[in-house]
């Protein structure tokens, strides 16, 4: 097998027997809160902006600066993204442009991000818990030999140690734990899309750009990106960012009844979500699963029909502004965290809601017109 | 056609009887395959039970070292309940606090897992998530089993059926007929989580000490059955069981679950379990036909042990100890036969029955042989009496100026008005006979 | 070809209960299972073996009981199983775990060179999806995460082509062997074990390696000591203070309830109605 790659100048691991929890002077030098800005084919993933909002708060508490990292090809409007990043709270944007950075690949991106960290020494590094962010975060953290906390739902600064206190659900949301990286830097964390609130953009903000080079050529990169097959628009389901979600559960009994969920969603111009069992029994696409092993959503309106409200589902949707639950069982857990509840047969309630909403919206849009 | 045996013995089921049997066989160096339907041993077994040390000691003398035991019983309560009160006896003895202890509460899922690990240490092969569908016959001789998996036939010199109360296998093979509804009880039980110190306070017991409450009376809604409550380390086990036949014939269409809910709300029980968080709910059958319901338990290349043989002492709610003992005796029969180089024929395996008859198993079952009948034919034990008894107690213990003699007279007449004198006498005699 | 699949034994979180008083996990009686995600990787490995021949070795770091999880993998068709088990590994976070597993894989590779390492996408207990990338980096393996399909494998050319799930599409990636792959869930279905396989697995001598046998040099890199992350606090979810408002079907009919509900929703969330109307326009 290949020889292991020697990590690019790792933050020196403190010596000594017992578990070290003290920050070495060398590592005390690490300052600033960074966000890796994820973009693909001309679009920045909103999770990056959500993270900049959080980074701003953390940096203000620490009295330090916010940095944003942009890696990409020459023709990928990185400057435009950088300007946006600043409007969302970044003070400095670190840009590395190189042909080999066009389209995400683990090897060059890991090198790019790792080198920047070793050079500018940020205290905290945040990434989106997307397929790209998780792939990259795991590699970078191991290369830097530092701590990484995945899928955080809350980020704070510990008043005593001034360390990043990252809170995440464990055991599928039945418990939460707060994790800190005390003796290593940077402190890394990933956060799912939609867990943090979208900050307000402020176009009057200013910041500076720092350009760097990658120092890597295509021939050094083993993995080749042959093609990118974009999802057909039809099956592009963007649950996390939907304003209205109507979700169905096993209580709907069969895929036929599930059509009622689609009907209501259509009238509301919303998306359709589902619980895991519905996905597992093939009633709907996997992309529609809401929860711990599905998507995290925070729509303005979440209507749950025939859903018991198991904790693994709850953790994915309890951030919704208004939750309406329809369930035959008055003791179903979903009623513990819904705002409005109807104890009744979803097969009857859903059509009634559909016509009521349709009727109402029709009326109002006339008034508006 | 006869295939060469791959194993000395196949044990179907990994409950107490199957584990006792497989363990004993493997310890003796025999090549044993144990097949369990559940995801893991214990997964299919109702939780929370009493373990009787003696039977296990004979198999694993030092079981106390690492077995997951909850509490040893220092107090036994027997309650007769009517709708809002109970009359009962409490027996607590410090003798019960002197090791080695005689009875423990256990959580079956954990206990069975532990027992199974011992079985595997002893060298038996265990496969789970596999159901035995049929016995493979070669003429009169059982030569192996057929499982619900691809290439599912496996052959052995002898097959021991430890497959629990339904004993599907033996029935399919025609070794015995359908079990009568009147011979099985349907029991439901719940495990209620409760912090350790709350349990200690409510039952006034120490660290390891435990209490058992056995209950009869109106709680079974006139059906033949009993209720029970055990203290585990960090939980309570509460349950109730009645004869399956009674449920089916129940006038009020009472469901087992409804009974349990009613029991939990009983003013004498509610305060004990108050605040308990439900961890587990399980329903399970108990063979309670007793002595007369025991089928033929051995034949050419096969034996039946535990619940599948109906080895349960309903009166004392003993089952797992009979299960373990029958499992051990069956194993010892096989070991002896092997040693003597004898075939696993009916005539050789007969000694299993002989040993059973000599053991406490058949002796006890014989002693109580008439119990099921008596209780079954006389449901007043579960309807009228509880009320009368508690009324009586109420009268006696309420100080209201009425002299005790008069009270006695009133009580007696209250019994008589609701049941003829001959009836009363008859009941007494029946009971006395049954318990004799 | 020789494939190593890393599998973890995890408590079946469907049956996990939290101690209402101490807020700790009650593992008592909770069955331990093979991490569901790992089975997609194992099945993919077995399919490669069916196609190209060779050997699949399953590797796990965990307590002695984890042997059962490995046994299960043997019953599915894995050829060999190694359990890296040692008190010294206790308390490992993902960084320390990837170190120990990488060491284990190197030892296995000494017996027979390894072409592909598989890990699951993530675990259902740790659920970080970091150990896979961690192992890859420590061993200098090419990393292919969230793989939805293995398009082709060229053993002579020492290359492999896969489809990788990315945001909004699928990447087609080609890389050189050896590499590390994490499979996406629901990309295949685990086969059933037949009875002989079950019996074989029950009898299979799982190899148990201590830290010495796994050739762990640096004891500061394993277990609690090798774990940068510190769990500072564990707590239960905070109960919703606001109580649910029930709309009673007994007292009024479905239509009124529906209209009533949407009034309440719109008053609670003023901008929502406007948003919906905008959608109507579009
Ligand atoms: C590791 C792990 C990860 C998981 N991840 C997820 C996840 O990401 N997302 C997820 O959703 N689940 C997840 N689950 C599964 C989760 O534990 C629950 O099993 C699941 O959410 C239950 O789905 P359900 O509510 O549709 O079905 P059920 O729990 O069966 O609930 C059905 C409900 O419908 C009600 N009902 C029945 N008939 C009607 C009717 N006619 N009208 C109205 N109501 C009716 C019933 O009262 C019941 O409350 C996970 C589980 C595990 C172990
Ligand atoms: C509510 C209740 C309370 C009880 N309380 C007590 C008590 O306090 N003390 C006491 O001593 N006894 C008690 N008992 C009785 C005791 O539980 C049983 O007597 C004992 O479990 C019998 O053990 P067994 O091994 O014969 O059967 P089981 O424990 O039922 O084991 C049978 C096993 O075989 C498996 N199996 C069945 N069919 C197949 C097949 N075809 N293929 C493969 N595997 C199969 C099953 O999955 C099961 O694991 C109680 C019973 C009940 C229902
Ligand atoms: N202790 C372990 N032993 C073997 N494999 C592991 C272990 N922990 C994690 N893994 C592998 O790493 C993957 C990701 O785990 P995690 O980073 O914990 O989500 C899992 O799906 C396993 O394949």
């Amino acid at each position: 097998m290949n020889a292991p790659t020697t990590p690019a100048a790792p933050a020196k691991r403190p010596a000594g027997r017992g578990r070290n929890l003290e920050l070495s002077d060398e590592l005390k030098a690490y300052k600033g809160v960074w966000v890796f800005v994820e973009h693909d084919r001309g679009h920045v993933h909103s999770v990056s902006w959500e993270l900049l909002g959080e980074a701003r708060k953390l940096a203000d508490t620490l009295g330090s600066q916010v940095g944003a990292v942009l890696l990409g090809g020459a023709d990928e409007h990185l400057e435009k993204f950088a300007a946006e990043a600043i409007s969302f709270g970044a003070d400095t944007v670190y840009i590395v442009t190189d042909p080999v950075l066009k389209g995400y690949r683990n090897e060059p991106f890991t090198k790019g991000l790792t080198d920047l960290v070793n050079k500018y020494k940020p205290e905290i590094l945040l990434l989106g818990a997307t397929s790209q962010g998780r792939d990259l975060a795991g590699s970078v953290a191991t290369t830097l030999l530092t701590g990484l906390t995945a899928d955080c739902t809350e980020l704070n600064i510990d008043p005593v140690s001034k360390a990043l206190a990252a809170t995440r659900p464990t055991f599928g949301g039945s418990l939460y734990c707060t994790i800190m990286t005390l003796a290593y830097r940077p402190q890394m964390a990933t956060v799912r899309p939609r867990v943090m609130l979208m900050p307000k953009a402020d176009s009057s903000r200013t910041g500076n750009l720092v350009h760097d080079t990658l120092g890597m050529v295509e021939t050094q990169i083993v993995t080749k990106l042959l093609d990118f097959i974009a999802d057909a628009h039809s099956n592009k389901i963007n649950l996390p960012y939907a304003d209205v979600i109507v979700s169905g559960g096993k209580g709907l009994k069969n895929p036929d009844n599930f059509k009622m969920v689609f009907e209501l969603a259509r009238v509301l111009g919303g998306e359709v979500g589902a619980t895991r069992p519905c996905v597992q029994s093939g009633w709907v696409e996997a992309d529609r699963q809401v929860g711990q092993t599905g998507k995290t959503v925070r729509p303005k309106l979440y209507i749950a029909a025939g859903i018991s409200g198991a904790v693994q589902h709850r953790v994915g949707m309890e951030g919704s502004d208004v939750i309406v639950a329809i369930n035959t069982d008055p003791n179903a857990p979903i009623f513990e965290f819904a705002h409005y509840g109807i104890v009744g047969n979803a097969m009857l309630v859903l059509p009634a809601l559909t016509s009521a909403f349709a009727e109402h919206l029709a009326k109002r849009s006339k008034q508006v017109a | 056609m006869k295939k060469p045996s791959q194993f000395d013995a196949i044990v179907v089921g990994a409950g107490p009887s199957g584990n006792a049997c497989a363990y004993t066989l493997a310890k003796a160096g025999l090549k044993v395959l144990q097949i369990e339907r559940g995801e893991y041993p214990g997964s299919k077994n109702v939780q929370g039970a009493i373990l009787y040390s003696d039977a296990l000691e004979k198999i694993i003398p030092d079981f106390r070292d690492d077995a997951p035991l909850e509490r040893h019983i220092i107090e036994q309560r027997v309650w007769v309940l009517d709708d809002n009160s109970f009359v009962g006896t409490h027996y607590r003895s410090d003798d019960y606090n002197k090791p080695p202890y005689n009875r423990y509460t256990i959580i079956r899922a954990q206990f069975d897992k532990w027992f199974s690990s011992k079985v595997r240490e002893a060298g038996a092969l265990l496969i789970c998530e596999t159901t035995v569908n049929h016995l493979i016959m070669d003429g009169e001789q059982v030569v192996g089993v057929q499982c619900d998996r691809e290439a599912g036939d496996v052959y052995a010199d002898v097959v021991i059926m430890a497959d629990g109360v339904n004993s599907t296998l033996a029935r399919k093979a025609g070794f015995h007929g359908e079990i009568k509804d009147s011979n099985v009880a349907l029991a439901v039980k719940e495990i209620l989580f409760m912090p350790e110190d709350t349990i200690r306070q409510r039952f006034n017991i120490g660290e390891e000490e435990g209490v058992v409450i056995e209950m009869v009376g109106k709680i079974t809604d006139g059906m033949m059955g009993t209720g029970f409550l055990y203290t585990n380390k960090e939980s309570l086990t509460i349950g109730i069981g009645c004869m399956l036949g009674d449920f089916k014939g129940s006038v009020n269409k009472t469901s087992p679950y409804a009974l349990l809910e009613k029991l939990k709300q009983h003013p004498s029980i509610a305060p004990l379990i108050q605040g308990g968080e439900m961890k587990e709910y399980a329903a399970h059958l108990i063979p309670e036909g007793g002595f007369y319901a025991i089928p033929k338990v051995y034949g050419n290349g096969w034996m039946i042990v535990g619940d599948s043989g109906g080895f349960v002492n309903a009166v004392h709610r003993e089952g797992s100890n009979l299960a373990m003992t029958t499992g051990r005796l069956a194993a010892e029969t096989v070991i002896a036969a092997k040693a003597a180089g004898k075939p696993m024929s009916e005539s050789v395996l007969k000694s299993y029955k002989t040993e059973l008859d000599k053991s406490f198993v058949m002796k006890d079952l014989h002693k109580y042989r008439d119990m099921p009948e008596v209780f079954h034919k006389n449901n007043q034990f579960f309807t009228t009496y509880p009320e009368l008894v508690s009324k009586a107690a109420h009268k006696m213990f309420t100080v209201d100026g009425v002299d005790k003699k008069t009270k006695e007279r009133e009580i007696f007449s209250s019994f008589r008005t609701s049941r003829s004198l001959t009836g009363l006498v008859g009941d007494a005699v029946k009971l006395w006979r049954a318990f004799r | 070809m020789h494939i190593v699949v890393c599998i973890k034994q995890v408590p079946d979180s469907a049956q996990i209960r939290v101690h209402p008083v101490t807020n700790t996990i009650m593992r008592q009686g909770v069955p331990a299972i093979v991490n569901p995600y790992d089975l997609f990787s194992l099945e993919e490995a077995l399919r490669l073996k069916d196609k190209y021949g060779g050997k699949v070795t399953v590797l796990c770091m965990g307590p002695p009981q984890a042997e059962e999880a490995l046994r299960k993998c043997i019953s599915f068709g894995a050829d060999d199983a190694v359990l890296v088990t040692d008190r010294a590994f206790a308390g490992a976070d993902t960084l320390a775990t990837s170190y120990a597993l990488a060491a284990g894989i190197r030892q296995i590779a000494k017996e027979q060179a390894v072409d592909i390492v598989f890990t699951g996408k993530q675990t259902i207990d740790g659920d970080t999806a970091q150990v896979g990338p961690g192992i890859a980096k420590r061993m200098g393996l090419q990393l292919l995460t969230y793989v939805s399909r293995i398009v082709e494998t060229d053993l002579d050319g020492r290359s492999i082509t896969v489809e990788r799930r990315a945001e909004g599409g699928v990447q087609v990636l080609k890389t050189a062997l050896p590499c590390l792959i994490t499979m996406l869930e629901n990309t295949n279905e685990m086969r059933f074990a037949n009875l002989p396989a079950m019996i074989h697995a029950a009898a299979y001598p799982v190899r148990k390696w201590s830290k010495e046998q796994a050739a762990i040099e640096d004891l500061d890199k394993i277990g609690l000591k090798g774990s940068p992350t510190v769990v500072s606090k564990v707590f239960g979810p905070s109960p919703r203070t606001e109580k649910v408002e029930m709309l009673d079907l007994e007292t009024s009919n479905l239509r009124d309830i529906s209209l009533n509900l949407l009034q309440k929703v719109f008053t609670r969330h003023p901008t929502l109605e406007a948003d919906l109307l905008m959608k109507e326009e579009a």
Side-chain angles (χ1 to χ4, degrees), chain B residues 49-53 56 63 67 69 102-106 111 320-321 324:
Chain B
I50 307 285
L51 173 76
Y52 305 87
S53 308
L56 184 52
F63 75 93
L69 305 168
N102 158 268
R103 291 185 305 164
Y104 296 89
T105 49
I106 53 167
F111 179 81
S320 57
N321 54 331
M324 290 181 202

PDB file of all heavy atoms in Angstrom, chain B residues 49-53 56 63 67 69 102-106 111 320-321 324:
ATOM      1  N   ALA B  49     -38.829 -11.578  35.783  1.00  0.00           N
ATOM      2  CA  ALA B  49     -39.304 -12.858  36.290  1.00  0.00           C
ATOM      3  C   ALA B  49     -38.564 -13.196  37.563  1.00  0.00           C
ATOM      4  O   ALA B  49     -37.640 -12.495  37.960  1.00  0.00           O
ATOM      5  CB  ALA B  49     -39.077 -13.948  35.253  1.00  0.00           C
ATOM      6  N   ILE B  50     -39.006 -14.285  38.186  1.00  0.00           N
ATOM      7  CA  ILE B  50     -38.318 -14.774  39.373  1.00  0.00           C
ATOM      8  C   ILE B  50     -37.424 -15.931  38.961  1.00  0.00           C
ATOM      9  O   ILE B  50     -37.850 -16.809  38.209  1.00  0.00           O
ATOM     10  CB  ILE B  50     -39.312 -15.299  40.436  1.00  0.00           C
ATOM     11  CG1 ILE B  50     -40.357 -14.237  40.750  1.00  0.00           C
ATOM     12  CG2 ILE B  50     -38.580 -15.734  41.680  1.00  0.00           C
ATOM     13  CD1 ILE B  50     -39.848 -13.118  41.597  1.00  0.00           C
ATOM     14  N   LEU B  51     -36.214 -15.904  39.444  1.00  0.00           N
ATOM     15  CA  LEU B  51     -35.294 -17.014  39.190  1.00  0.00           C
ATOM     16  C   LEU B  51     -35.156 -17.814  40.477  1.00  0.00           C
ATOM     17  O   LEU B  51     -34.914 -17.257  41.544  1.00  0.00           O
ATOM     18  CB  LEU B  51     -33.931 -16.484  38.766  1.00  0.00           C
ATOM     19  CG  LEU B  51     -32.847 -17.551  38.635  1.00  0.00           C
ATOM     20  CD1 LEU B  51     -33.042 -18.355  37.367  1.00  0.00           C
ATOM     21  CD2 LEU B  51     -31.468 -16.928  38.664  1.00  0.00           C
ATOM     22  N   TYR B  52     -35.343 -19.128  40.350  1.00  0.00           N
ATOM     23  CA  TYR B  52     -35.183 -20.012  41.512  1.00  0.00           C
ATOM     24  C   TYR B  52     -33.793 -20.622  41.446  1.00  0.00           C
ATOM     25  O   TYR B  52     -33.484 -21.386  40.538  1.00  0.00           O
ATOM     26  CB  TYR B  52     -36.277 -21.067  41.516  1.00  0.00           C
ATOM     27  CG  TYR B  52     -37.666 -20.467  41.462  1.00  0.00           C
ATOM     28  CD1 TYR B  52     -38.265 -20.171  40.249  1.00  0.00           C
ATOM     29  CD2 TYR B  52     -38.343 -20.137  42.629  1.00  0.00           C
ATOM     30  CE1 TYR B  52     -39.522 -19.587  40.199  1.00  0.00           C
ATOM     31  CE2 TYR B  52     -39.597 -19.550  42.589  1.00  0.00           C
ATOM     32  CZ  TYR B  52     -40.186 -19.278  41.372  1.00  0.00           C
ATOM     33  OH  TYR B  52     -41.419 -18.688  41.313  1.00  0.00           O
ATOM     34  N   SER B  53     -32.952 -20.248  42.427  1.00  0.00           N
ATOM     35  CA  SER B  53     -31.528 -20.583  42.379  1.00  0.00           C
ATOM     36  C   SER B  53     -31.268 -22.061  42.177  1.00  0.00           C
ATOM     37  O   SER B  53     -30.445 -22.455  41.347  1.00  0.00           O
ATOM     38  CB  SER B  53     -30.864 -20.148  43.679  1.00  0.00           C
ATOM     39  OG  SER B  53     -31.179 -18.812  43.927  1.00  0.00           O
ATOM     40  N   LEU B  56     -30.756 -23.681  38.768  1.00  0.00           N
ATOM     41  CA  LEU B  56     -29.596 -23.170  38.032  1.00  0.00           C
ATOM     42  C   LEU B  56     -28.297 -23.637  38.689  1.00  0.00           C
ATOM     43  O   LEU B  56     -27.338 -23.999  38.017  1.00  0.00           O
ATOM     44  CB  LEU B  56     -29.653 -21.639  37.959  1.00  0.00           C
ATOM     45  CG  LEU B  56     -28.573 -20.946  37.139  1.00  0.00           C
ATOM     46  CD1 LEU B  56     -28.476 -21.525  35.736  1.00  0.00           C
ATOM     47  CD2 LEU B  56     -28.826 -19.447  37.056  1.00  0.00           C
ATOM     48  N   PHE B  63     -23.077 -19.538  39.381  1.00  0.00           N
ATOM     49  CA  PHE B  63     -23.763 -18.569  38.506  1.00  0.00           C
ATOM     50  C   PHE B  63     -23.827 -17.182  39.145  1.00  0.00           C
ATOM     51  O   PHE B  63     -23.829 -16.164  38.468  1.00  0.00           O
ATOM     52  CB  PHE B  63     -25.180 -19.059  38.169  1.00  0.00           C
ATOM     53  CG  PHE B  63     -26.176 -18.934  39.292  1.00  0.00           C
ATOM     54  CD1 PHE B  63     -26.962 -17.809  39.401  1.00  0.00           C
ATOM     55  CD2 PHE B  63     -26.308 -19.930  40.255  1.00  0.00           C
ATOM     56  CE1 PHE B  63     -27.887 -17.665  40.428  1.00  0.00           C
ATOM     57  CE2 PHE B  63     -27.220 -19.796  41.290  1.00  0.00           C
ATOM     58  CZ  PHE B  63     -28.007 -18.670  41.380  1.00  0.00           C
ATOM     59  N   ALA B  67     -23.895 -13.737  36.775  1.00  0.00           N
ATOM     60  CA  ALA B  67     -25.238 -13.671  36.181  1.00  0.00           C
ATOM     61  C   ALA B  67     -25.880 -12.316  36.492  1.00  0.00           C
ATOM     62  O   ALA B  67     -25.665 -11.763  37.566  1.00  0.00           O
ATOM     63  CB  ALA B  67     -26.103 -14.799  36.737  1.00  0.00           C
ATOM     64  N   LEU B  69     -28.305 -10.633  37.982  1.00  0.00           N
ATOM     65  CA  LEU B  69     -29.400 -10.806  38.939  1.00  0.00           C
ATOM     66  C   LEU B  69     -29.826  -9.430  39.429  1.00  0.00           C
ATOM     67  O   LEU B  69     -28.989  -8.578  39.699  1.00  0.00           O
ATOM     68  CB  LEU B  69     -28.919 -11.658  40.118  1.00  0.00           C
ATOM     69  CG  LEU B  69     -28.323 -13.021  39.720  1.00  0.00           C
ATOM     70  CD1 LEU B  69     -27.610 -13.657  40.888  1.00  0.00           C
ATOM     71  CD2 LEU B  69     -29.408 -13.933  39.174  1.00  0.00           C
ATOM     72  N   ASN B 102     -32.037 -17.644  47.714  1.00  0.00           N
ATOM     73  CA  ASN B 102     -32.834 -18.723  47.147  1.00  0.00           C
ATOM     74  C   ASN B 102     -33.653 -18.281  45.927  1.00  0.00           C
ATOM     75  O   ASN B 102     -33.864 -19.040  45.004  1.00  0.00           O
ATOM     76  CB  ASN B 102     -33.739 -19.258  48.274  1.00  0.00           C
ATOM     77  CG  ASN B 102     -34.935 -19.979  47.737  1.00  0.00           C
ATOM     78  OD1 ASN B 102     -35.998 -19.374  47.545  1.00  0.00           O
ATOM     79  ND2 ASN B 102     -34.745 -21.257  47.470  1.00  0.00           N
ATOM     80  N   ARG B 103     -34.062 -17.010  45.911  1.00  0.00           N
ATOM     81  CA  ARG B 103     -34.833 -16.518  44.763  1.00  0.00           C
ATOM     82  C   ARG B 103     -34.348 -15.120  44.382  1.00  0.00           C
ATOM     83  O   ARG B 103     -34.015 -14.320  45.261  1.00  0.00           O
ATOM     84  CB  ARG B 103     -36.329 -16.445  45.101  1.00  0.00           C
ATOM     85  CG  ARG B 103     -37.000 -17.800  45.275  1.00  0.00           C
ATOM     86  CD  ARG B 103     -38.490 -17.621  45.475  1.00  0.00           C
ATOM     87  NE  ARG B 103     -38.776 -16.724  46.596  1.00  0.00           N
ATOM     88  CZ  ARG B 103     -39.959 -16.152  46.796  1.00  0.00           C
ATOM     89  NH1 ARG B 103     -40.940 -16.318  45.918  1.00  0.00           N
ATOM     90  NH2 ARG B 103     -40.161 -15.373  47.840  1.00  0.00           N
ATOM     91  N   TYR B 104     -34.328 -14.844  43.096  1.00  0.00           N
ATOM     92  CA  TYR B 104     -33.918 -13.524  42.610  1.00  0.00           C
ATOM     93  C   TYR B 104     -34.928 -13.006  41.594  1.00  0.00           C
ATOM     94  O   TYR B 104     -35.575 -13.794  40.908  1.00  0.00           O
ATOM     95  CB  TYR B 104     -32.569 -13.598  41.903  1.00  0.00           C
ATOM     96  CG  TYR B 104     -31.402 -14.008  42.749  1.00  0.00           C
ATOM     97  CD1 TYR B 104     -31.081 -15.354  42.892  1.00  0.00           C
ATOM     98  CD2 TYR B 104     -30.601 -13.068  43.384  1.00  0.00           C
ATOM     99  CE1 TYR B 104     -29.991 -15.738  43.662  1.00  0.00           C
ATOM    100  CE2 TYR B 104     -29.512 -13.447  44.154  1.00  0.00           C
ATOM    101  CZ  TYR B 104     -29.209 -14.789  44.288  1.00  0.00           C
ATOM    102  OH  TYR B 104     -28.131 -15.165  45.036  1.00  0.00           O
ATOM    103  N   THR B 105     -35.052 -11.690  41.491  1.00  0.00           N
ATOM    104  CA  THR B 105     -35.742 -11.166  40.317  1.00  0.00           C
ATOM    105  C   THR B 105     -34.687 -11.015  39.216  1.00  0.00           C
ATOM    106  O   THR B 105     -33.534 -10.693  39.489  1.00  0.00           O
ATOM    107  CB  THR B 105     -36.378  -9.782  40.595  1.00  0.00           C
ATOM    108  OG1 THR B 105     -35.406  -8.940  41.204  1.00  0.00           O
ATOM    109  CG2 THR B 105     -37.564  -9.913  41.514  1.00  0.00           C
ATOM    110  N   ILE B 106     -35.101 -11.283  37.995  1.00  0.00           N
ATOM    111  CA  ILE B 106     -34.207 -11.139  36.843  1.00  0.00           C
ATOM    112  C   ILE B 106     -34.953 -10.436  35.710  1.00  0.00           C
ATOM    113  O   ILE B 106     -36.178 -10.403  35.702  1.00  0.00           O
ATOM    114  CB  ILE B 106     -33.707 -12.504  36.318  1.00  0.00           C
ATOM    115  CG1 ILE B 106     -34.896 -13.430  36.042  1.00  0.00           C
ATOM    116  CG2 ILE B 106     -32.740 -13.132  37.287  1.00  0.00           C
ATOM    117  CD1 ILE B 106     -34.551 -14.657  35.235  1.00  0.00           C
ATOM    118  N   PHE B 111     -30.872 -11.961  31.297  1.00  0.00           N
ATOM    119  CA  PHE B 111     -30.514 -13.267  31.854  1.00  0.00           C
ATOM    120  C   PHE B 111     -30.293 -14.282  30.729  1.00  0.00           C
ATOM    121  O   PHE B 111     -29.284 -14.984  30.707  1.00  0.00           O
ATOM    122  CB  PHE B 111     -31.605 -13.754  32.803  1.00  0.00           C
ATOM    123  CG  PHE B 111     -31.317 -15.101  33.389  1.00  0.00           C
ATOM    124  CD1 PHE B 111     -30.465 -15.230  34.473  1.00  0.00           C
ATOM    125  CD2 PHE B 111     -31.871 -16.253  32.836  1.00  0.00           C
ATOM    126  CE1 PHE B 111     -30.173 -16.473  35.006  1.00  0.00           C
ATOM    127  CE2 PHE B 111     -31.588 -17.500  33.361  1.00  0.00           C
ATOM    128  CZ  PHE B 111     -30.738 -17.611  34.441  1.00  0.00           C
ATOM    129  N   SER B 320     -39.397 -21.363  34.879  1.00  0.00           N
ATOM    130  CA  SER B 320     -38.019 -21.410  34.386  1.00  0.00           C
ATOM    131  C   SER B 320     -37.216 -22.469  35.133  1.00  0.00           C
ATOM    132  O   SER B 320     -36.345 -23.109  34.552  1.00  0.00           O
ATOM    133  CB  SER B 320     -37.362 -20.043  34.550  1.00  0.00           C
ATOM    134  OG  SER B 320     -37.428 -19.651  35.890  1.00  0.00           O
ATOM    135  N   ASN B 321     -37.543 -22.699  36.400  1.00  0.00           N
ATOM    136  CA  ASN B 321     -36.769 -23.718  37.123  1.00  0.00           C
ATOM    137  C   ASN B 321     -37.141 -25.115  36.632  1.00  0.00           C
ATOM    138  O   ASN B 321     -36.284 -25.977  36.484  1.00  0.00           O
ATOM    139  CB  ASN B 321     -36.988 -23.593  38.637  1.00  0.00           C
ATOM    140  CG  ASN B 321     -38.455 -23.618  39.006  1.00  0.00           C
ATOM    141  OD1 ASN B 321     -39.306 -23.208  38.229  1.00  0.00           O
ATOM    142  ND2 ASN B 321     -38.744 -24.124  40.185  1.00  0.00           N
ATOM    143  N   MET B 324     -35.384 -25.407  33.277  1.00  0.00           N
ATOM    144  CA  MET B 324     -33.949 -25.709  33.362  1.00  0.00           C
ATOM    145  C   MET B 324     -33.723 -27.159  33.790  1.00  0.00           C
ATOM    146  O   MET B 324     -32.865 -27.848  33.251  1.00  0.00           O
ATOM    147  CB  MET B 324     -33.270 -24.776  34.364  1.00  0.00           C
ATOM    148  CG  MET B 324     -33.184 -23.345  33.896  1.00  0.00           C
ATOM    149  SD  MET B 324     -32.339 -22.373  35.150  1.00  0.00           S
ATOM    150  CE  MET B 324     -32.927 -20.753  34.745  1.00  0.00           C
TER     151      MET B 324
END
